[in-house]
Amino acid sequence: MSSIVERIPVYEPPKSLSDVSSHYCPGCTHGATHRIVAEVMDELGLTDKAVGIASVGCSVLAYNYFECDMQQAAHGRAPAVATGVKRVRPELVVWTYQGDGDLASIGTNEVIHAALRGEKITVIFINNAIYGMTGGQAAPTTLIGQKTATTPFGRDKSWSGSPIHLSEMLALQEGAAFIARTSTHNPAHLGRTRAAIKRAFQTQLEGKGFSLVEILSTCPTNWGMTPVEALKWVEEQMVPVYPLGIFKDWQADGARSPAAAGAAAKSAKPAEGGK
Amino acid sequence: MSVVVMERVVFREDRCKGCEVCIAVCPQKIIALDSRINKLGYRSAAVKDQEACTSCGLCARVCPDAVISVYRPARPAKPAPAGEGRKAS
Ligand SMILES: Cc1ncc(C[n+]2csc(CCOP(=O)(O)OP(=O)(O)O)c2C)c(N)n1
Ligand code: SF4
Ligand code: SF4
Ligand code: SF4
Ligand SMILES: [Mg+2]
């Protein structure tokens, strides 16, 4: 006599993620972050009411990888396109997916003004400290001392300034309702990233204002590291420069001044829970 | 009574890019790259010793290419009713 042991899924790829192979390099965390965004879309039932705006950078082809509607914007202009879509169709959940070259360099102005206006959009901001797509040039997010194609001796503060802390800046704006920085370097932090993305989408669903999650990410190819070494580099080099945490949360910080929220963010714990 | 062995961790090996992130994270150290090359041109990750897998799900949660699904067994099944038992041994 035999018995069939039934199996219960512990993890299966999300339905909102398209069933295709991606163009991303082996081990690039763009892939894991796409998967997590799709998991949240599944959980909140957003696949048929979300519109994603792809940007310019390695994730320019993100429109191939999600089952929701997608649009593609000119370099740095995803928040403007998202603004248009959201204002015309306020019932939709509109999100952008932007790299640090796209969002924190050519598009800095766009994202700041979207936050100032309190646009009810969600920004997924991929900080991998480099321009990945174009061959590894320095970004505003590049760390001091980091070697890139355009800083072959390491980024020199006296020459090109210091890494930009965009989440901290945006958290000071009244229109910003939820701002967090998370990381991708291990399963626990990927879980916190998922919780933060969920909170950001919920912020939009509740009509509270602008939401953004900055996600510390890898570019193994242009960093010249294996994917596993790159994850370690995020943990050891990037996290100390870019503190993780929630910098603004309409649920928690409602009564606090922006300055207090900013100060609290320094010691804030990463997003937890799923509510 | 014998039990039909179930695969706890399943790899869509044609999607794997051999990045080894799952290998680094597996607490059981049971994931390894296969010697075969998949159609993307990479050595795909695979688990030989399914029995040693604890279904923790960590490998699937770090994979950048959504290659991995993880399952756990349900409570040991009741004996199949006579005549309906599949794969009797
Ligand atoms: C108007 C314009 N200027 C410059 C470029 C060249 N360009 C393409 S992608 C990119 C930077 C991408 O870096 P990032 O946004 O960090 O994305 P990653 O590839 O790192 O994910 C640049 C400068 C362009 N496509 N269009
Ligand atoms: S170049 Fe860098 S950011 Fe772009 S896909 Fe490859 S590893 Fe990822
Ligand atoms: S589920 Fe856990 S134990 Fe099983 S292969 Fe994956 S990481 Fe290893
Ligand atoms: S993490 Fe995914 S893509 Fe990388 S080796 Fe493992 S199964 Fe393959
Ligand atoms: Mg980048």
Side-chain angles (χ1 to χ4, degrees):
Chain A
M1 197 167 69
S2 72
S3 72
I4 310 288
V5 177
E6 284 208 40
R7 56 184 200 179
I8 297 171
V10 172
Y11 187 89
E12 285 180 330
K15 307 250 183 309
S16 298
L17 189 70
S18 300
D19 191 10
V20 294
S21 180
S22 80
H23 71 289
Y24 296 117
C25 303
C28 173
T29 52
H30 270 306
T33 305
H34 279 29
R35 182 169 49 73
I36 285 172
V37 171
E39 284 174 27
V40 175
M41 277 204 266
D42 277 11
E43 187 183 341
L44 299 178
L46 300 181
T47 321
D48 292 329
K49 61 172 181 178
V51 180
I53 316 293
S55 59
V56 173
C58 281
S59 55
V60 63
L61 300 178
Y63 51 77
N64 286 328
Y65 304 137
F66 293 95
E67 291 298 291
C68 64
D69 283 345
M70 298 291 291
Q71 180 57 269
Q72 202 280 324
H75 209 7
R77 273 55 191 167
V81 175
T83 297
V85 175
K86 183 72 184 183
R87 288 191 176 205
V88 172
R89 297 285 303 275
E91 77 281 13
L92 299 178
V93 172
V94 184
W95 57 283
T96 72
Y97 187 102
Q98 304 175 253
D100 43 6
D102 187 271
L103 181 139
S105 192
I106 195 169
T108 321
N109 197 16
E110 294 282 342
V111 75
I112 290 176
H113 283 273
L116 285 179
R117 297 191 305 269
E119 295 298 342
K120 297 174 185 69
I121 61 171
T122 299
V123 174
I124 309 293
F125 168 31
I126 305 301
N127 179 355
N128 61 4
I130 209 157
Y131 290 3
M133 183 197 201
T134 44
Q137 295 82 2
T141 45
T142 293
L143 305 190
I144 301 298
Q146 184 183 342
K147 289 186 176 142
T148 69
T150 47
T151 57
F153 306 110
R155 180 176 181 167
D156 177 356
K157 190 171 175 173
S158 67
W159 184 255
S160 47
S162 308
I164 188 168
H165 288 79
L166 225 114
S167 289
E168 288 86 338
M169 283 168 62
L170 292 172
L172 297 174
Q173 312 313 318
E174 207 177 310
F178 182 79
I179 308 283
R181 185 186 289 118
T182 65
S183 179
T184 52
H185 65 269
N186 66 28
H189 283 276
L190 285 166
R192 287 169 192 166
T193 297
R194 188 186 192 287
I197 292 172
K198 182 175 169 186
R199 199 94 147 235
F201 277 131
Q202 284 172 330
T203 297
Q204 181 176 167
L205 285 165
E206 302 225 5
K208 297 296 178 188
F210 179 88
S211 54
L212 175 143
V213 184
E214 175 176 348
I215 303 169
L216 303 186
S217 303
T218 67
C219 177
T221 300
N222 287 300
W223 292 359
M225 296 178 198
T226 67
V228 174
E229 286 167 354
L231 292 170
K232 202 146 189 60
W233 197 83
V234 170
E235 181 178 13
E236 291 175 355
Q237 305 296 326
M238 286 185 80
V239 172
V241 175
Y242 293 109
L244 306 179
I246 298 173
F247 295 84
K248 182 109 177 243
D249 187 344
W250 56 274
Q251 285 175 310
D253 293 341
R256 281 196 240 156
S257 70
K266 289 271 176 220
S267 56
K269 293 224 161 45
E272 4 176 77
K275 292 267 156 56
Chain B
M1 192 170 82
S2 71
V3 162
V4 177
V5 176
M6 174 210 73
E7 281 199 319
R8 284 174 178 255
V9 51
V10 179
F11 291 75
R12 295 193 285 183
E13 53 179 43
D14 281 347
R15 290 281 173 79
C16 176
K17 295 176 184 164
C19 74
E20 304 191 15
V21 170
C22 58
I23 295 175
V25 88
C26 175
Q28 298 294 90
K29 302 280 169 233
I30 50 175
I31 311 178
L33 293 189
D34 214 86
S35 52
R36 285 175 303 138
I37 307 286
N38 69 10
K39 68 178 182 193
L40 295 175
Y42 300 107
R43 290 173 61 195
S44 167
V47 162
K48 286 240 163 62
D49 188 2
Q50 291 279 343
E51 303 266 326
C53 173
T54 60
S55 304
C56 70
L58 293 180
C59 54
R61 287 179 205 285
V62 297
C63 176
D65 285 278
V67 170
I68 308 172
S69 296
V70 179
Y71 302 89
R72 66 179 172 79
R75 277 187 303 129
K78 300 172 220 106
E84 283 181 34
R86 289 181 284 160
K87 291 198 183 166
S89 60

